[in-house]
Amino acid sequence: MPAPTVRPRVIIVSCGGRKSTTEQPVPAGQMYCGSYHLALRRAADAITSQDQTARVLILSSRYGFLNLDDLISPYDLRMGEEGSVTSEQLRQQAGDLGILNAHVTVLGPRAYEEASRTVWPELTAPLAGARGIGEQLAKLADIYTPGRRLSPEPPNAARPAIPGPGIGHVIEEIEHQANARQAREEQRAIRKRAVYATCSQLVIEHPSQAHGSLTFPGNPAKSAARSKAARRYADLYRVQVTGRPDDSRTVDVHGAPRDVARFLSALPRILEGTEARASEAARMYGRWERHSIARPHLSGMSPLQRRAYARNFRAAAFRVVVDILLDLPDAVPEATSGVPPWDQVYSLAGTIAQYYWFDAAGSADQDETARILAAAERRDVTTSAPIPVPTRTASAYTKAAA
């Protein structure tokens, strides 16, 4: 009986933008010197240390798959740009290298993962789903940081080589740790956004009609300001927002199910961004108040009056930020020296909002929107009876947000 064929193990890391300044060809393993690429290499080395038969390849946007000792010259080209390596070339190279049937792990940005999937659709991508370079580096740290050793062992213990396919459990544990980290960060973000708004369970009464509610914690003045902002942001999501005569902190949201779900997901994020910009304007006001140039304007004011001016300035700054986010102007008038902040709120807060503008209409999180829809209560409008749904309710989500 023939011995089973052992599939090779390959770790592919993406190339890097920062390269060696030499004009002469150098080994690929020495060409890329950026901190991100070095973190990828460090993680790849940590994985291969568990399997001494595994090999590391670099995926270059120009040259394709490279061994660490392949000589290459510097270049300036991104994956997907004209002149970069094609899917057909990558498949040909993988065949020449004898790794078409390999167990493949890709470490790198999404473009490099997608390029590799044209050759290996079932590859493993530990960095998939990371939002930005910070989360990618955190996931990489889960792989190579000694303090996060995947299995306890003495520091100087000899580690036997693990057969190629056996490394899969290491990758799974790495991904589990990274996913757990991301879940904790998401829960912290939910708790942080709950300071600005919390949402109820979505109720779907008809395929084209649903409703939910948003509650705004905080003092009455801030709750009222956030409630008014919610009404103004509602048009971005094609929903209707109405207040409650018996509860000034809560508004009801009506519209198509997906539109309402997107708004329930987006508004706490929008308010968080709005408040952040208004707070920056308030900090600027505080710096002005402590400066000597403020003395003529504050002379004769009692501490109570000064606090009232500062509070009114921040409230006005919040409204200005909402204005700018909804209708970005071509220019904001420059602030005038010698004029107190409360007389030029639009210039001061508007400049901050314009510089740090974000797309409020695109603030809904797709995954959270899907969770809200999946956990919605469905009612038969003809009988007013709830329709059982074989999914868990949104209680976990709303409790986390609370």
Side-chain angles (χ1 to χ4, degrees), residues 233-309:
Y233 286 128
D235 288 343
L236 298 176
Y237 290 85
R238 302 184 298 277
V239 297
Q240 295 78 48
V241 173
T242 57
R244 294 182 179 180
D246 59 337
D247 185 357
S248 60
R249 296 176 181 269
T250 301
V251 296
D252 294 314
V253 185
H254 298 266
R258 183 164 185 81
D259 291 339
V260 176
R262 292 185 69 247
F263 188 69
L264 295 180
S265 168
L267 189 68
R269 292 174 166 81
I270 298 173
L271 290 179
E272 181 181 28
T274 304
E275 293 281 4
R277 286 142 185 82
S279 295
E280 180 59 34
R283 284 191 289 270
M284 179 183 61
Y285 181 97
R287 291 192 294 270
W288 170 86
E289 192 177 38
R290 293 188 294 272
H291 198 278
S292 59
I293 61 175
R295 291 173 185 169
H297 304 285
L298 301 176
S299 178
M301 285 190 186
S302 68
L304 184 63
Q305 289 175 313
R306 291 177 61 167
R307 287 195 294 271
Y309 268 84

Side-chain angles (χ1 to χ4, degrees), residues 22-296:
T22 179
E23 296 181 359
Q24 301 297 322
V26 298
Q30 301 174 23
M31 174 60 72
Y32 310 101
C33 50
S35 57
Y36 178 70
H37 177 80
L38 295 179
L40 296 175
R41 287 283 303 281
R42 189 177 177 187
D45 290 343
I47 295 173
T48 56
S49 69
Q50 300 287 328
D51 179 5
Q52 297 177 4
T53 65
R55 63 191 296 188
V56 176
L57 296 176
I58 295 175
L59 175 50
S60 161
S61 56
R62 178 176 179 180
Y63 298 105
F65 298 123
L66 296 169
N67 291 298
L68 300 184
D69 56 359
D70 287 342
L71 295 177
I72 59 172
S73 299
Y75 59 93
D76 185 12
L77 187 67
R78 293 186 178 183
M79 185 66 74
E81 293 182 345
E82 184 177 356
S84 62
V85 66
T86 66
S87 299
E88 292 75 15
Q89 290 172 323
L90 292 178
R91 282 192 288 269
Q92 179 63 46
Q93 291 177 350
D96 295 340
L97 292 168
I99 56 174
L100 280 174
N101 69 330
H103 291 280
V104 174
T105 298
V106 174
L107 300 173
R110 182 177 178 180
Y112 292 81
E113 174 195 336
E114 292 178 345
S116 300
R117 282 194 188 277
T118 64
V119 184
W120 302 281
E122 304 300 324
L123 61 77
T124 300
L127 302 186
R131 301 177 181 179
I133 188 67
E135 285 192 12
Q136 290 188 37
L137 292 174
K139 286 190 173 186
L140 292 171
D142 286 331
I143 300 174
Y144 63 69
T145 301
R148 298 169 180 166
R149 193 178 299 280
L150 297 177
S151 57
E153 59 181 273
N156 299 320
R159 290 179 294 182
I162 300 175
I167 195 68
H169 80 281
V170 178
I171 301 298
E172 290 177 1
E173 189 169 351
I174 289 169
E175 291 181 330
H176 174 74
Q177 291 179 0
N179 290 336
R181 171 196 289 272
Q182 183 174 345
R184 290 193 298 271
E185 291 175 351
E186 288 178 351
Q187 289 301 312
R188 284 195 293 269
I190 289 173
R191 290 193 294 270
K192 183 179 178 182
R193 290 193 294 270
V195 173
Y196 308 108
T198 59
C199 70
S200 70
Q201 182 181 16
L202 180 68
V203 177
I204 300 177
E205 299 176 339
H206 187 273
S208 62
Q209 187 63 36
H211 68 84
S213 64
L214 287 157
T215 300
F216 307 100
N219 63 55
K222 286 190 174 182
S223 295
R226 293 164 182 166
S227 176
K228 291 179 181 178
R231 291 177 174 87
R232 299 189 61 193
Y233 286 128
D235 288 343
L236 298 176
Y237 290 85
R238 302 184 298 277
V239 297
Q240 295 78 48
V241 173
T242 57
R244 294 182 179 180
D246 59 337
D247 185 357
S248 60
R249 296 176 181 269
T250 301
V251 296
D252 294 314
V253 185
H254 298 266
R258 183 164 185 81
D259 291 339
V260 176
R262 292 185 69 247
F263 188 69
L264 295 180
S265 168
L267 189 68
R269 292 174 166 81
I270 298 173
L271 290 179
E272 181 181 28
T274 304
E275 293 281 4
R277 286 142 185 82
S279 295
E280 180 59 34
R283 284 191 289 270
M284 179 183 61
Y285 181 97
R287 291 192 294 270
W288 170 86
E289 192 177 38
R290 293 188 294 272
H291 198 278
S292 59
I293 61 175
R295 291 173 185 169

